[in-house]
Amino acid sequence: MTKRITAKYKLDRRMGENIWGRPKSPVNKRDYGPGQHGQAGKRKKISDFGLHLRAKQKLKGYYGSITEKQFRRIYNEATRRKGDTSENLIGLLESRLDALVYRMKFVPTVFAARQFVNHGHVKVNGKKVNIGSYRCKPGDVIEVREKSRQMNLVLDAIDSPERELPDYVNVDHDKLKGEFTRIPNLGDVPYAVQMEPNLVVEYYSR
């Protein structure tokens, strides 16, 4: 299990964007960086390297602050696959089990999704899987285990109007079961802010 060691909303303030589109984000009130130099830092011009680094940190953070080692492994897999590397990168990130549990609105945040999976509340094709980075394939059926279906976390997420379901998952919230129908392209993913995987590719290719 990957442990998050920093407050998740600090990333929002560092980037100056509401990364997950949540109403609780401090950026809604303070759109400048954290710390005593946060407001001054807002006026600094960012170098090309800084832009590339920022794009990488934002994408890593969005998926629950994936570690650099894990993220680099995903990037390397994306480069080995045929086609556009940036699109492959997004497809691999969206194929993670924790990302799909989040997309299916079984939990309110991607951080909660990882913990939910790690604690054994999820089954894939009828078998319990407790690894958030587990890579799902199109056609896989993901469901909340029966004993976990009345958790307040789950019920609140389902009722929340905060997010809509993307079209690459089919979900039955009455049964708390969903199917991953296809690997999405960048344009299919409902990011709350603009993601730039092309800059991430440039960061690692430099």
Side-chain angles (χ1 to χ4, degrees):
M1 175 177 176
T2 302
K3 184 179 180 182
R4 175 169 52 85
I5 58 174
T6 56
K8 61 178 180 287
Y9 287 129
K10 189 174 287 187
L11 178 66
D12 275 14
R13 295 205 48 208
R14 190 181 307 128
M15 298 297 167
E17 297 179 83
N18 189 346
I19 303 296
W20 301 279
R22 303 215 72 200
K24 292 181 180 180
S25 173
V27 172
N28 297 335
K29 295 181 180 179
R30 302 187 301 277
D31 63 343
Y32 49 85
Q36 67 183 98
H37 303 297
Q39 288 174 286
K42 188 179 176 182
R43 295 190 292 269
K44 289 181 180 178
K45 184 178 179 180
I46 303 177
S47 66
D48 287 345
F49 173 79
L51 288 172
H52 296 159
L53 177 62
R54 179 188 176 93
K56 177 178 75 80
Q57 298 295 75
K58 187 163 65 170
L59 194 60
K60 277 174 57 179
Y62 182 88
Y63 287 95
S65 296
I66 298 173
T67 65
E68 179 62 26
K69 184 177 180 180
Q70 281 186 327
F71 194 75
R72 184 63 187 253
R73 189 182 304 129
I74 295 168
Y75 169 78
N76 288 340
E77 174 66 22
T79 61
R80 287 194 293 267
R81 297 193 169 196
K82 293 181 180 179
D84 184 88
T85 299
S86 60
E87 292 284 357
N88 291 342
L89 178 62
I90 295 301
L92 289 169
L93 289 167
E94 285 292 312
S95 298
R96 288 171 58 98
L97 179 56
D98 53 7
L100 287 169
V101 167
Y102 173 63
R103 291 291 178 221
M104 292 179 178
K105 284 188 68 175
F106 294 153
V107 292
T109 69
V110 71
F111 298 98
R114 183 175 301 164
Q115 187 176 55
F116 195 68
V117 172
N118 287 337
H119 288 180
H121 298 300
V122 174
K123 293 199 289 188
V124 179
N125 299 329
K127 296 181 179 180
K128 185 176 79 170
V129 178
N130 60 2
I131 301 171
S133 60
Y134 176 86
R135 187 178 300 164
C136 296
K137 301 182 293 295
D140 282 352
V141 174
I142 299 163
E143 63 182 308
V144 177
R145 294 181 72 191
E146 189 170 352
K147 69 176 185 178
S148 308
R149 293 178 183 178
Q150 295 304 311
M151 294 175 64
N152 289 335
L153 178 81
V154 177
L155 299 176
D156 290 346
I158 291 172
D159 291 337
S160 172
E162 210 171 287
R163 292 178 289 122
E164 294 185 0
L165 297 171
D167 65 4
Y168 48 91
V169 296
N170 285 330
V171 183
D172 184 339
H173 279 147
D174 290 331
K175 296 181 179 178
L176 287 174
K177 179 183 291 188
E179 180 186 357
F180 180 38
T181 59
R182 64 180 177 85
I183 296 174
N185 296 316
L186 173 61
D188 302 322
V189 182
Y191 292 119
V193 297
Q194 182 182 8
M195 292 295 175
E196 300 168 298
N198 57 309
L199 296 184
V200 178
V201 173
E202 290 177 20
Y203 173 86
Y204 284 118
S205 301
R206 72 192 191 287

